[in-house]
Amino acid sequence: MVESAVTAPRSRENTRRKLLDAAAQVFAEVGLAAASVEAVCDRAGFTRGAFYSNFESKDELFLELAGRVTRGRVDAVTARVAELECDGAFASSHTDVFEILDQVLDVSADDRLGVLLMSEIRIHALRSPEMAAAYLEQEAEMQRSVAQIVTDIGRAKGITFRVSALEAARVMLLVWEGSAVRAAIAGANADRIHRSTSTELALVAQLVIDDPAAAYDEDDSDEDGEGEGEEE
């Protein structure tokens, strides 16, 4: 009896997870309006009965999915920051600012389907006050996380910025996501999307840093200097 009682919630949780995973693909491919409950069920391998025993409607499913996706983005950035801190990346002279920022935001980078899904979430947020509030809170949390990274990098490497850490984070995220959307519209794959966002992020970082040259790896600067001396 105890085993049965434990198994039932797990089975329900697995069913919900599979439905959410399938919905993410379907919503990204055709959008919320065109997506049907049947299409989600077919993709997940479940019946309509299984769907309606877990969600009252397609809209409820979408709201839960959107919350999971946005929370996942914040959690991924937070975990990446903690990992870099443990590795000593912020204090290391062997890692430049642009590399750190790229590594942090790369965990929230999206492939084409991911970009499409986030775009669908933003469209829905424009129409739904409930979704808008949740999306804006997630966006603000992302900005705060990146702002803390900017602050830590500046303190560890003695770098100053032309704007506040929060303003720098806001601009970086806007450019990062805008670049991903443009690359996806152009038909880029995941690797090309990443290269595009990384390039534009580096440009933004140079604009907000007082002395961009100081943000590069010190060893690289030394090597450049040595090369110049040898040429003379």
Side-chain angles (χ1 to χ4, degrees), residues 1-77:
M1 292 291 291
V2 174
E3 182 179 350
S4 177
V6 172
T7 302
R10 287 180 179 173
S11 177
R12 180 180 176 82
E13 182 180 330
N14 287 337
T15 299
R16 290 177 69 88
R17 177 179 53 78
K18 289 178 180 178
L19 285 168
L20 287 164
D21 290 343
Q25 297 177 23
V26 175
F27 290 147
E29 290 169 359
V30 303
L32 176 62
S36 66
V37 170
E38 289 78 9
V40 173
C41 290
D42 288 344
R43 186 69 61 91
F46 293 120
T47 63
R48 285 172 59 89
F51 180 93
Y52 285 110
S53 67
N54 285 276
F55 300 99
E56 291 185 2
S57 65
K58 181 177 68 173
D59 286 343
E60 182 187 351
L61 170 66
F62 183 79
L63 285 171
E64 182 164 333
L65 174 64
R68 187 180 76 161
V69 170
T70 53
R71 284 193 304 272
R73 286 160 62 88
V74 172
D75 291 345
V77 168

Side-chain angles (χ1 to χ4, degrees), residues 55-126:
F55 300 99
E56 291 185 2
S57 65
K58 181 177 68 173
D59 286 343
E60 182 187 351
L61 170 66
F62 183 79
L63 285 171
E64 182 164 333
L65 174 64
R68 187 180 76 161
V69 170
T70 53
R71 284 193 304 272
R73 286 160 62 88
V74 172
D75 291 345
V77 168
T78 302
R80 186 61 175 140
V81 171
E83 181 182 341
L84 288 171
E85 286 179 338
C86 288
D87 292 342
F90 294 141
S92 174
S93 63
H94 299 289
T95 309
D96 65 52
V97 173
F98 309 125
E99 181 182 346
I100 293 173
L101 290 170
D102 188 47
Q103 287 184 54
V104 168
L105 293 182
D106 184 42
V107 298
S108 66
D110 299 298
D111 57 15
R112 181 174 174 77
L113 282 179
V115 172
L116 287 169
L117 179 58
M118 281 307 302
S119 296
E120 192 67 24
I121 290 173
R122 293 187 189 100
I123 290 172
H124 200 63
L126 287 169

